[in-house]
Amino acid sequence: MKKIFVTGGAGYIGSHVVRDLGKKGYDVLIYDNLSTGHEWAVLSGRLVKGDLADKSFLDEVIKDFKPDAVMHFAALIQVEESVREPLKYFRNNTANAMNLLEVMLENRIKNFIFSSTAAVYGIPDKLPVNEDVPMNPTNPYGESKAMVEQMLSDLSNASDFNYIALRYFNVAGADSQGRIGQAYKESTHLITRALKTAKGELPKLLIFGADYMTSDGTCIRDYIHVDDLSVAHILTLDYLSDNGKSRVFNCGYGHGYSVREVVQAAKKVTGIDFRTEETGRRDGDSPALLADSSRLKAELNWKPKHDDLGYIIKTAWEWEKKLDTILNKCTGDK
Ligand code: UDP
């Protein structure tokens, strides 16, 4: 496999994978509507500005490029927003994925790598959770992704189409050289918000719920560095090239941190004692999510290198400190 079509490759996770695909010598075409992604985040390959809702343009681009595989990152990702505006998520995440799959089938492209999420599990009975636990999402974001996984499974059963669904746990951190990182206008993610509070951009960090049945009452998540996640994507290409069959893999480290522990770690890395305030639970949140990633390690030989909350926060902090300059420069360029 040489030619990879990457939707959402100008976004946070996609841009890290594009960087690594470039390093490995793949021929990469990025298809992104730039709604949350940025042109400067594309460190290799060629960017085409396009929307997945525009099926005829998508078909044109795919026909012309003739990819061997498609990596699909483009999606909306905010749990809270999905609870308020569910149809936006089914349109963007589910219907657009269906457009892409139809175009792929019409063009006989049979390899697909899908950005799925731990949110498909909902509130699992046992932790860490493995891939055999049935999907049971508790919010429209998780549902919109679980529906795509269902389509993929049915499609794969019905034909010689192969897919890999990577269920991401809590992705954080940034490129070690500080070239790319999270750059959403309004991030809802804990680590980013904590750092924006440390920077003075937010007055205080709200802690959503301190009455969960967890060690300190706050939610526990499995934070994974974006570079380790990116490597998992590259490994899926080797796997599919070796005639590997459709598979679902969790991507996480298997242990987690509470919101309070993340806050402590962020204060330590930044050296800033920023303000926090406990408030009510956020709709759709699961008390704890931890990945059993033994399948990814055993079958794809995944060897994570950055299982260290301090390193994750440090790379995110280095990035966060220069983000305003990058964003202002880009606005100025226009
Ligand atoms: N969280 C919080 N304050 C914030 C953002 C997040 O307390 O400003 C909590 C959130 O309720 C969840 C955890 O931090 O328990 C991780 O949330 P995030 O949005 O980073 O990821 P999610 O697990 O929802 O994908």
Side-chain angles (χ1 to χ4, degrees):
M1 265 188 274
K2 285 213 157 53
K3 298 172 85 169
I4 318 294
F5 184 84
V6 183
T7 77
Y12 169 48
I13 299 171
S15 64
H16 286 79
V17 177
V18 164
R19 174 202 63 192
D20 291 349
L21 287 169
K23 255 191 258 168
K24 293 262 171 191
Y26 286 98
D27 182 5
V28 182
L29 191 138
I30 297 110
Y31 190 87
D32 197 303
N33 67 5
L34 299 179
S35 59
T36 54
H38 301 273
E39 224 169 316
W40 50 255
V42 176
L43 299 181
S44 73
R46 184 160 61 87
L47 171 69
V48 170
K49 189 176 175 194
D51 202 297
L52 290 167
D54 187 349
K55 210 172 158 190
S56 62
F57 183 57
L58 176 65
D59 184 59
E60 207 179 289
V61 177
I62 286 206
K63 269 202 169 58
D64 184 52
F65 185 57
K66 298 184 187 64
D68 301 306
V70 170
M71 287 190 175
H72 179 40
F73 296 95
L76 298 176
I77 56 158
Q78 296 185 15
V79 171
E80 210 177 8
E81 182 186 52
S82 82
V83 175
R84 283 196 319 267
E85 294 184 71
L87 291 185
K88 190 169 163 184
Y89 278 70
F90 294 121
R91 168 67 59 195
N92 268 279
N93 295 359
T94 315
N96 281 353
M98 200 165 155
N99 278 353
L100 178 60
L101 291 170
E102 283 171 348
V103 170
M104 283 180 67
L105 285 201
E106 279 154 25
N107 290 282
R108 288 184 214 83
I109 299 152
K110 298 178 189 322
N111 297 299
F112 189 71
I113 293 115
F114 177 57
S115 299
S116 191
T117 168
V120 298
Y121 291 116
I123 305 176
D125 292 335
K126 228 183 83 194
L127 292 170
V129 62
N130 71 33
E131 298 86 346
D132 295 326
V133 171
M135 294 190 284
N136 189 18
T138 51
N139 55 60
Y141 166 63
E143 282 158 7
S144 72
K145 291 276 184 176
M147 285 162 90
V148 178
E149 280 207 36
Q150 189 59 55
M151 286 195 279
L152 292 172
S153 165
D154 293 342
L155 192 56
S156 165
N157 287 335
S159 65
D160 57 354
F161 176 89
N162 279 320
Y163 76 93
I164 303 294
L166 295 175
R167 293 181 179 161
Y168 307 164
F169 282 64
N170 287 65
V171 190
D175 173 53
S176 60
Q177 292 175 45
R179 294 167 296 177
I180 45 177
Q182 251 187 53
Y184 309 127
K185 277 190 205 90
E186 279 180 38
S187 180
T188 58
H189 291 303
L190 176 63
I191 291 180
T192 309
R193 277 210 185 154
L195 298 178
K196 285 190 188 298
T197 314
K199 231 167 78 176
E201 206 172 305
L202 298 173
K204 61 192 169 194
L205 177 79
L206 294 177
I207 296 177
F208 297 135
D211 57 347
Y212 286 98
M213 294 288 282
T214 58
S215 48
D216 66 14
T218 63
C219 291
I220 294 174
R221 293 290 183 274
D222 186 338
Y223 294 91
I224 168 175
H225 194 280
V226 64
D227 283 349
D228 278 335
L229 183 66
S230 178
V231 169
H233 289 77
I234 305 293
L235 294 173
T236 64
L237 292 176
D238 299 336
Y239 171 85
L240 289 173
S241 293
D242 292 344
N243 296 316
K245 295 296 161 216
S246 295
R247 215 74 177 112
V248 176
F249 294 106
N250 282 341
C251 302
Y253 295 140
H255 61 91
Y257 298 93
S258 71
V259 174
R260 285 193 216 283
E261 286 169 333
V262 171
V263 168
Q264 272 322 107
K267 286 183 176 179
K268 191 168 165 211
V269 168
T270 60
I272 299 166
D273 187 17
F274 55 86
R275 249 186 94 198
T276 61
E277 187 181 304
E278 282 172 20
T279 178
R281 294 183 177 195
R282 191 172 68 171
D283 274 350
D285 266 347
S286 183
L289 279 169
L290 303 175
D292 176 346
S293 292
S294 37
R295 184 187 283 181
L296 184 66
K297 288 177 181 151
E299 297 185 19
L300 263 55
N301 199 22
W302 182 61
K303 295 192 176 93
K305 287 195 184 133
H306 305 298
D307 179 2
D308 173 350
L309 185 63
Y311 176 77
I312 292 174
I313 296 179
K314 184 173 164 287
T315 54
W317 179 231
E318 293 309 321
W319 170 250
E320 191 58 50
K321 282 191 290 187
K322 58 203 255 193
L323 181 58
D324 297 329
T325 317
I326 292 171
L327 293 178
N328 289 338
K329 182 173 174 292
C330 290
T331 321
D333 286 349
K334 281 194 182 135

